[in-house]
Amino acid sequence: MIRFNIPPYVGNELKYMEQAIKNEKICGDGEYTKKCSAWIEEKMGTQKVFLTTSCTHATEMAAMLSEIKEGDEVIMPSYTFVSTADAFVLRGAKAVFVDIRPDTMNIDETLIEDAITEKTKAIVPVHYAGVSCEMDTIMDIAKQHKLMVIEDAAQGMMSTYKGKALGTIGDFGCYSFHETKNYTMGEGGALLVKDDKYNEYAEIIREKGTDRSKFFRGQVDKYTWKDAGSSYLPSDMNAAYLWAQLEVAEQINEKRLSVWNAYYGAFSELRDQEKLELPTIPKGCVHNAHMFYIKLKDLETRTRMIDYLKSEDILSVFHYVPLHSAPAGIKYGRFSGEDKFTTKESERLLRLPMYYNMEESDLEKVIEAVKKFDF
Ligand SMILES: *Cc1c(COP(=O)(O)O)cnc(C)c1O
């Protein structure tokens, strides 16, 4: 059976985890947590990175730092993972869903202004499949209407938009290191902070509402409860796992891109024959091969394809069911404008097996199977 995903493993994970244990500092903010955050700051070019227990938690921190409160509205696509909305809904905000562009499956930047009301506080672009949203337009709209921009870059580490790393363009950026992502620590994430005026409050929120981080740096002689907060620090053992992967981040990225390019090249003929559609990478965007998807004619064809691939021992999966159609989406959100593409495109999309340690022979097997399908 060819699985859809296998978590990346590069070889040094256990060694570093053992070292974390030997350091006798397995809680948060130990050696490996510091190494990982410093690496992300340097590599992505941002002033501050906080490693967190998940991308969901990084987004919750961003919502708190943006002072999102009861009754506020936050603009986002409906075609996304639940966490994008959860982080804001937890603070009492309403999710305002905007339709997507069919070419990238990202929020349609031309529809954002229509969704803005006097209650709007933030825009949350989601970089689907590690392909950037149209960030120049989004940042212009945000500036004009004085809105915060929180990038859900869960899938976007190592991707860029006009040379800038995803997650560093908006006020805050959120990465995921869940086992399904390109780089992992099992469960984990990171919050990227553009303006240093947020650093102190971010530290406090992440450390149960205390100034313990300052205490550990010797800047205060005892730590106190300063504000409402939570516990968003991952264990240093998990960070050690991630560190092994960050050390070879370029190698992981290149391997994934080679799988992605092989799929893309192999299916170009089927695309030309209009049997399926392939992803679009807009000009100015460099992607990280987070996923490879194809789009089929309709829901019925996709279901047939999933069943057919399964009969060939290949696991393929569809993706998000639009949030606005889910019970919580109805309760906590509203769709702005018309759902022209969100539902229709989500029903046609199919993701193929794609992971770091994918064998060449498995890749060939998937390609051959797709080519033989009765479209
Ligand atoms: C994976 C993912 C998340 C959630 O990441 P966690 O680290 O599991 O919290 C959020 N948004 C998107 C778009 C994702 O793909």
Side-chain angles (χ1 to χ4, degrees):
M1 183 67 82
I2 300 176
R3 286 158 63 184
F4 170 68
N5 178 58
I6 295 175
Y9 183 79
V10 298
N12 280 331
E13 285 87 345
L14 279 174
K15 191 173 96 188
Y16 295 156
M17 288 178 85
E18 191 182 357
Q19 186 57 48
I21 294 164
K22 285 185 180 152
N23 287 346
E24 296 178 339
K25 175 91 177 127
I26 57 176
C27 66
D29 286 340
E31 177 191 348
Y32 290 101
T33 306
K34 285 183 184 139
K35 277 186 151 139
C36 291
S37 1
W39 185 92
I40 301 169
E41 282 164 11
E42 164 83 24
K43 177 86 182 168
M44 305 308 156
T46 192
Q47 63 89 26
K48 190 76 190 163
V49 169
F50 294 97
L51 217 60
T52 58
T53 29
S54 66
C55 177
T56 308
H57 282 164
T59 316
E60 277 181 37
M61 284 182 69
M64 284 191 228
L65 292 165
S66 304
E67 293 176 40
I68 300 296
K69 54 179 194 322
E70 190 89 33
D72 288 348
E73 291 184 354
V74 177
I75 293 171
M76 63 185 72
S78 170
Y79 186 70
T80 183
F81 190 54
V82 291
S83 304
T84 318
D86 267 330
F88 301 95
V89 161
L90 265 180
R91 313 232 63 77
K94 186 172 211 112
V96 175
F97 301 116
V98 167
D99 208 10
I100 51 166
R101 297 164 39 150
D103 61 345
T104 55
M105 305 297 283
N106 283 335
I107 191 165
D108 185 337
E109 68 281 358
T110 66
L111 302 174
I112 292 175
E113 278 198 298
D114 283 344
I116 295 174
T117 71
E118 67 276 16
K119 292 178 179 164
T120 309
K121 287 289 155 59
I123 307 171
V124 189
V126 180
H127 306 298
Y128 188 68
V131 179
S132 182
C133 297
E134 184 33 54
M135 290 308 291
D136 277 353
T137 309
I138 292 171
M139 294 308 289
D140 282 349
I141 295 169
K143 197 168 168 199
Q144 206 181 326
H145 296 269
K146 299 194 170 57
L147 306 175
M148 299 294 286
V149 175
I150 297 141
E151 295 178 72
D152 182 336
Q155 306 174 9
M157 195 171 93
M158 300 291 278
S159 295
T160 57
Y161 171 81
K162 299 188 180 172
K164 289 183 210 152
L166 299 192
T168 67
I169 304 164
D171 299 283
F172 301 107
C174 307
Y175 286 168
S176 173
F177 301 120
H178 184 259
E179 72 163 29
T180 51
K181 302 305 198 286
N182 294 20
Y183 309 90
T184 188
M185 54 199 277
E187 299 275 359
L191 175 70
L192 285 70
V193 182
K194 189 156 80 176
D195 189 330
D196 66 6
K197 74 177 181 197
Y198 294 107
N199 291 3
E200 192 173 333
Y201 186 30
E203 263 182 9
I204 288 171
I205 290 172
R206 185 166 166 268
E207 270 279 22
K208 300 96 185 162
T210 73
D211 55 357
R212 190 152 79 169
S213 300
K214 261 189 165 167
F215 171 72
F216 281 131
R217 286 196 300 268
Q219 291 165 323
V220 286
D221 54 16
K222 65 175 173 43
Y223 73 84
T224 42
W225 187 28
K226 305 279 277 188
D227 215 318
S230 192
S231 182
Y232 294 128
L233 291 76
S235 158
D236 212 49
M237 289 187 289
N238 295 51
Y241 191 103
L242 178 64
W243 177 246
Q245 308 197 352
L246 297 186
E247 271 191 330
V248 292
E250 292 292 348
Q251 179 187 316
I252 294 178
N253 198 43
E254 278 164 31
K255 168 69 197 281
R256 295 189 72 102
L257 281 165
S258 78
V259 174
W260 196 97
N261 289 329
Y263 274 139
Y264 193 89
F267 299 147
S268 298
E269 207 180 313
L270 291 171
R271 185 227 9 235
D272 295 343
Q273 296 163 353
E274 295 182 5
K275 288 186 170 156
L276 52 70
E277 284 168 41
L278 295 176
T280 304
I281 312 297
K283 234 179 114 218
C285 299
V286 176
H287 74 110
N288 60 0
H290 172 63
M291 83 172 72
F292 193 87
Y293 66 80
I294 55 176
K295 282 202 256 174
L296 298 151
K297 197 168 84 224
D298 50 22
L299 181 60
E300 186 273 321
T301 315
R302 183 181 73 180
T303 308
R304 265 199 308 118
M305 175 69 105
I306 293 174
D307 292 343
Y308 158 75
L309 288 176
K310 208 170 189 179
S311 74
E312 299 278 316
D313 276 340
I314 296 164
L315 290 182
S316 63
V317 286
F318 55 85
H319 214 180
Y320 310 128
V321 175
L323 296 185
H324 73 279
S325 63
I330 294 165
K331 193 167 165 192
Y332 299 116
R334 70 174 165 84
F335 201 95
S336 164
E338 190 193 340
D339 170 11
K340 246 167 109 177
F341 296 112
T342 300
T343 301
K344 188 171 139 239
E345 299 301 301
S346 71
E347 289 178 346
R348 305 200 293 132
L349 186 142
L350 183 69
R351 296 179 291 158
L352 299 177
M354 165 105 208
Y355 45 89
Y356 172 65
N357 298 98
M358 192 165 184
E359 301 280 349
E360 191 80 27
S361 56
D362 285 347
L363 174 63
E364 285 305 318
K365 203 176 151 201
V366 180
I367 289 172
E368 287 317 307
V370 170
K371 281 182 169 173
K372 281 198 211 105
F373 179 67
D374 172 21
F375 289 89

